[in-house]
Amino acid sequence: MKSPMRWLKRHKELKKNASRRIEVEAALERREGQKIKLSPAAAKGGYDEIYYASKNGSRFAVVRINSEHKIINDPIGPLDPGIPLGPVDRLSREWDAYVQLAPGGLSPEPLWRSEHAIACSWLPWERLSGYLTKNRAELWKVLSNVFPLISTMHSLGVIHLDLNLGNILIDPNSEKLSVIDFEFGPVEWVNQEQQMAFDYLRLIDDCLKPRRGGKVLLEDPNKLIELLGEHVPEATRNADLHFVYSKLQRLQQQPELCVLLQTIFINLPNPHTEE
């Protein structure tokens, strides 16, 4: 349950963004030819406000709206490969990713966009972070589906740069996956192979959280290497990864796992952990 202060802060943020919400509702009503209602999602929405769009009482879309009033101080280190994009570029990156991925069922379908907002199809699925918290024993089954997803995504020219378990949706019934939330862009010095390798390692770092299956992963790390070996292409294996531990600190704290990962990512540095 949210504290009263957090609820009040959230209420003020939404109130400040009300004029844009009303504009987007009107635009979607013109598109759909019927009454549309936008309801704020429970999630904070990162750098934007996220709403559910409903018609005839049923959700049909998720809408991301830029907020002029939302201030987020996200510390970016000198070795971070991805940085938060500005409002216009952020919406464009997400839209372009969905255009590439949706035809293969790898993301929501892009439906509509304007200068300050985009709408994509609503999937009644669960974030993979929450799913694994309740089903840690299924980590290997999940990763056997996630790694091919990453490989296919990369082959379509889409790189995420913040690929944690919260940015992947899962349909528990079919085990289908969908990638969401493309808010980051690459810094100038990082090439495509480095970005692709980082996507894999960023996901592995998130899987190391105990509540998301970290114990399962560490009990059989060779299984992880086997799965990666089936899907990571040679160019990605050879990427210079001198920067990764500045962001992936859970991974840095597992030196034995890092040594095994060097059989896939040959330029992954040896971690320097505190005694």
Side-chain angles (χ1 to χ4, degrees):
M1 180 179 295
K2 290 184 179 180
S3 69
M5 291 303 296
R6 289 180 63 190
W7 180 89
L8 182 60
K9 179 181 178 182
R10 179 80 173 125
H11 180 73
K12 288 180 177 179
E13 287 177 344
L14 292 170
K15 187 175 181 180
K16 289 178 180 179
N17 211 41
S19 60
R20 281 193 174 170
R21 175 186 58 78
I22 293 170
E23 290 176 5
V24 171
E25 275 183 339
L28 288 173
E29 286 176 357
R30 290 191 295 271
R31 179 185 186 275
E32 297 294 321
Q34 59 183 294
K35 182 69 175 178
I36 300 297
K37 179 177 176 57
L38 293 185
S39 304
K44 295 180 181 179
Y47 298 94
D48 302 300
E49 296 292 358
I50 306 298
Y51 298 86
Y52 296 123
S54 300
K55 57 184 178 182
N56 299 323
S58 299
R59 289 179 184 173
F60 74 98
V62 176
V63 182
R64 179 185 292 273
I65 304 179
N66 285 154
S67 174
E68 298 176 289
H69 310 283
K70 203 167 187 180
I71 299 175
I72 297 178
N73 296 317
D74 194 350
I76 302 298
L79 293 179
D80 288 0
I83 56 175
L85 296 171
V88 175
D89 290 340
R90 185 165 62 246
L91 292 182
S92 292
R93 182 171 174 83
E94 179 138 326
W95 179 267
D96 292 344
Y98 290 169
V99 167
Q100 293 297 319
L101 298 177
L106 305 181
S107 77
E109 179 186 354
L111 300 176
W112 168 90
R113 68 173 299 178
S114 68
E115 181 182 1
H116 300 297
I118 61 173
C120 66
S121 59
W122 175 66
L123 298 175
W125 298 0
E126 186 175 4
R127 289 183 185 265
L128 202 48
S129 52
Y131 179 81
L132 275 178
T133 298
K134 295 178 293 185
N135 303 279
R136 295 170 196 154
E138 294 192 19
L139 176 69
W140 296 122
K141 181 189 292 186
V142 166
L143 289 181
S144 68
N145 291 326
V146 169
F147 289 154
L149 170 69
I150 298 174
S151 177
T152 303
M153 179 178 74
H154 289 170
S155 72
L156 294 171
V158 179
I159 306 173
H160 199 288
L161 288 173
D162 190 28
L163 195 59
N164 59 68
L165 294 166
N167 288 334
I168 302 175
L169 303 178
I170 183 170
D171 178 0
N173 297 318
S174 67
E175 299 181 0
K176 290 182 179 179
L177 302 173
S178 179
V179 189
I180 60 172
D181 292 350
F182 292 81
E183 298 183 298
F184 284 67
V187 294
E188 291 184 357
W189 53 263
V190 64
N191 61 36
Q192 284 195 343
E193 288 74 24
Q194 291 172 309
Q195 295 173 49
M196 291 177 182
F198 185 77
D199 271 357
Y200 285 101
L201 294 171
R202 173 75 174 89
L203 185 82
I204 293 167
D205 184 81
D206 203 28
C207 289
L208 286 170
K209 291 181 179 179
R211 66 180 182 274
R212 295 181 181 174
K215 182 178 179 181
V216 175
L217 190 156
L218 293 173
E219 285 176 347
D220 191 5
N222 287 306
K223 179 66 174 176
L224 175 68
I225 304 306
E226 178 184 342
L227 289 173
L228 287 168
E230 295 173 1
H231 300 289
V232 180
E234 183 176 355
T236 303
R237 295 176 183 229
N238 290 311
D240 175 6
L241 298 173
H242 70 277
F243 58 90
V244 296
Y245 296 132
S246 67
K247 197 74 174 177
L248 309 182
Q249 296 174 2
R250 278 183 296 272
L251 184 59
Q252 184 182 23
Q253 294 167 7
Q254 301 294 334
E256 294 181 3
L257 177 59
C258 291
V259 170
L260 285 176
L261 285 170
Q262 288 170 347
T263 64
I264 302 294
F265 303 102
I266 63 175
N267 290 313
L268 180 70
N270 292 320
H272 302 288
T273 55
E274 296 181 2
E275 298 294 335

